[in-house]
Amino acid sequence: MDISKKLVETHSLSKEECLELFSLFDVPESMEYIKEEAVKIRKKYYGTKVFTRGLIEFTNYCKNNCYYCGIRRDNRNIERYRLTEKEILDCCANGEKLGFRTFVLQGGEDPWYTEERIADIVRKIKKAHPDCAITLSVGEKSKETYQTWKKAGADRYLLRHETANEEHYHMLHPDSMHLSNRKKCLYELKELGYQVGAGFMVGSPGQTWEHLAEDLVFLQELQPQMVGIGPFIPHHDTRFANEKAGSVELTLKLLSVIRLLLPKALLPATTALGTLDPLGREKGLCAGANVVMPNLSPVENRKQYELYDNKICTGDEAAKCKNCLSARVRSAGYELVEDRGDYIG
Ligand code: 5AD
Ligand code: FES
């Protein structure tokens, strides 16, 4: 059977089959077929709905030193900030008024935000907004900590695996970080009943086709409810400052493939896609994505949370982004909905 047909019909591919599929990536008819089928299955499960998540970047302190990331510990050229509990709650209140029903608390791995402090914040958000979902994205923690937060009311957790290949992982991260621990965290989060998001950068330094095939195999093993992928974009204060950015085209192709491998997945059209291409997010939606994640953080702090250069929307109020995105989603033939946007079991 032709490999693209196998993908469409069985929703599964081995590593060798992924590599075979990649060899079709520059055959326009094959790619047209994959994209059409991705959109078809996306419509089967989610219609034309696009879910929004209000992103709150609540701290840019980080104890890690990931080589690609602008807020890594050793970057002395950024001003560090932490939102107070009140500021976070204000972001949520503003978000709820704007129609958001999911709040994503994302931050560096900041030890000031202890297990208890985060649990408190989660409880307070849930009390004020019982109909909203809470997503945490604060890195690798113990299973006990994840459990405390789950009990406090957290619903989902984002932790991109970044690359499923051990050697490549070590090219992107210092020796203090291990792929095995990252994977362990992802499996524990799933066991605890979180809706879990994995993912990776497309075109990160040193990435090969083999690595990408391993990423797709890992996603099939883990079966995450969410998958975040976006192009790598260099940040001027990192060792990868002079590396090439990832390709928008390749990201779009992989989005379609992931939609077919995990048909019900929640797949964001990421800010990184929108940063490299003014129509990147629209193109993402047309390739199979069904989520957008505008920023609810205070505009004063936006610039300080630059994981990569030229990140979009750093000067725009949440209300403006909401309207802008709503128009963009419509122009792509979809509609933004006010809904928690849970995974459909
Ligand atoms: N380019 C693109 N994405 C990046 N991320 C971090 N740094 C960069 C970069 N330079 C992504 C990582 C991380 C997510 C929050 O942002 O994949 O998991
Ligand atoms: Fe922020 Fe368009 S989404 S201005």
Side-chain angles (χ1 to χ4, degrees):
M1 190 182 347
D2 170 77
I3 198 68
S4 50
K5 199 139 194 241
K6 160 134 205 262
L7 168 64
V8 167
E9 286 177 8
T10 68
H11 309 294
S12 90
L13 293 177
S14 67
K15 181 176 170 189
E16 287 64 39
E17 290 171 332
C18 288
L19 288 168
E20 194 183 332
L21 183 75
F22 296 157
S23 71
L24 297 180
F25 272 14
D26 34 10
V27 181
E29 307 82 72
S30 301
M31 284 325 297
E32 206 42 52
Y33 169 66
I34 289 171
K35 184 172 155 181
E36 270 169 25
E37 293 295 329
V39 167
K40 219 188 270 175
I41 202 154
R42 176 254 196 266
K43 290 212 167 139
K44 172 172 166 198
Y45 290 117
Y46 291 104
T48 54
K49 286 183 190 167
V50 172
F51 302 120
T52 47
R53 320 298 194 197
L55 185 63
I56 304 170
E57 297 158 336
F58 70 99
T59 171
N60 72 349
Y61 283 86
C62 193
K63 69 177 175 61
N64 288 339
N65 222 355
C66 307
Y67 299 145
Y68 46 82
C69 181
I71 66 166
R72 39 194 274 287
R73 182 190 62 221
D74 287 351
N75 186 4
R76 303 270 173 262
N77 298 330
I78 56 166
E79 215 181 310
R80 302 283 170 172
Y81 74 93
R82 281 184 189 109
L83 300 189
T84 62
E85 192 178 279
K86 171 156 189 323
E87 286 174 312
I88 296 174
L89 288 164
D90 287 347
C91 290
C92 295
N94 182 34
E96 169 143 43
K97 273 195 224 116
L98 291 172
F100 292 92
R101 296 294 176 268
T102 292
F103 303 118
V104 181
L105 295 187
Q106 186 165 86
E109 290 200 23
D110 178 0
W112 190 88
Y113 273 106
T114 56
E115 175 179 321
E116 231 359 82
R117 282 187 171 129
I118 296 216
D120 262 359
I121 292 172
V122 170
R123 277 189 289 266
K124 286 183 180 140
I125 296 177
K126 267 281 145 135
K127 191 155 179 238
H129 309 281
D131 300 334
C132 295
I134 299 179
T135 305
L136 292 176
S137 180
V138 292
E140 297 176 16
K141 306 285 170 180
S142 68
K143 189 170 183 186
E144 292 67 40
T145 299
Y146 289 148
Q147 179 155 39
T148 303
W149 294 342
K150 187 82 188 33
K151 283 194 187 137
D155 303 278
R156 310 187 189 129
Y157 205 99
L158 302 179
L159 182 66
R160 290 189 180 178
H161 64 282
E162 311 297 358
T163 170
N165 178 278
E166 191 87 48
E167 252 173 75
H168 188 218
Y169 195 87
H170 281 294
M171 288 182 58
L172 300 177
H173 304 94
D175 288 345
S176 55
M177 293 175 72
H178 298 280
L179 177 60
S180 54
N181 194 55
R182 176 115 348 180
K183 288 186 173 175
K184 177 166 165 271
C185 289
L186 284 163
Y187 282 106
E188 288 174 348
L189 286 159
K190 267 203 99 181
E191 272 167 39
L192 290 167
Y194 281 93
Q195 293 173 43
V196 171
F200 55 92
M201 291 175 285
V202 176
S204 57
Q207 185 177 64
T208 64
W209 291 109
E210 292 239 341
H211 297 155
L212 285 171
E214 289 171 39
D215 285 322
L216 298 185
V217 168
F218 174 66
L219 290 176
Q220 293 173 75
E221 261 166 41
L222 177 68
Q223 293 286 320
Q225 288 83 5
M226 307 174 279
V227 182
I229 68 163
F232 160 76
I233 305 174
H235 184 284
H236 59 280
D237 282 324
T238 64
R239 68 167 66 181
F240 297 143
N242 298 317
E243 297 287 333
K244 266 202 347 256
S247 143
V248 169
E249 285 309 311
L250 179 56
T251 306
L252 297 171
K253 291 170 187 173
L254 288 166
L255 266 175
S256 297
V257 174
I258 293 169
R259 166 62 61 208
L260 287 162
L261 289 173
L262 303 169
K264 297 178 182 172
L266 295 156
L267 293 180
T270 52
T271 305
L273 256 184
T275 296
L276 280 192
D277 180 336
L279 294 177
R281 287 166 297 176
E282 289 87 330
K283 291 177 185 170
L285 296 172
C286 294
N290 59 346
V291 172
V292 288
M293 298 176 68
N295 208 312
L296 281 179
S297 314
V299 175
E300 306 87 82
N301 301 111
R302 296 274 185 93
K303 258 311 225 196
Q304 292 156 283
Y305 204 90
E306 261 194 325
L307 307 184
Y308 46 79
D309 288 341
N310 306 316
K311 188 174 156 197
I312 50 171
C313 301
T314 54
D316 301 301
E317 286 295 345
K320 178 176 170 211
C321 290
K322 164 82 201 288
N323 290 335
C324 167
L325 270 174
S326 161
R328 286 171 183 272
V329 166
R330 233 174 297 126
S331 79
Y334 294 91
E335 45 157 352
L336 211 54
V337 293
E338 268 183 36
D339 188 307
R340 278 174 50 121
D342 283 298
Y343 184 74
I344 44 169

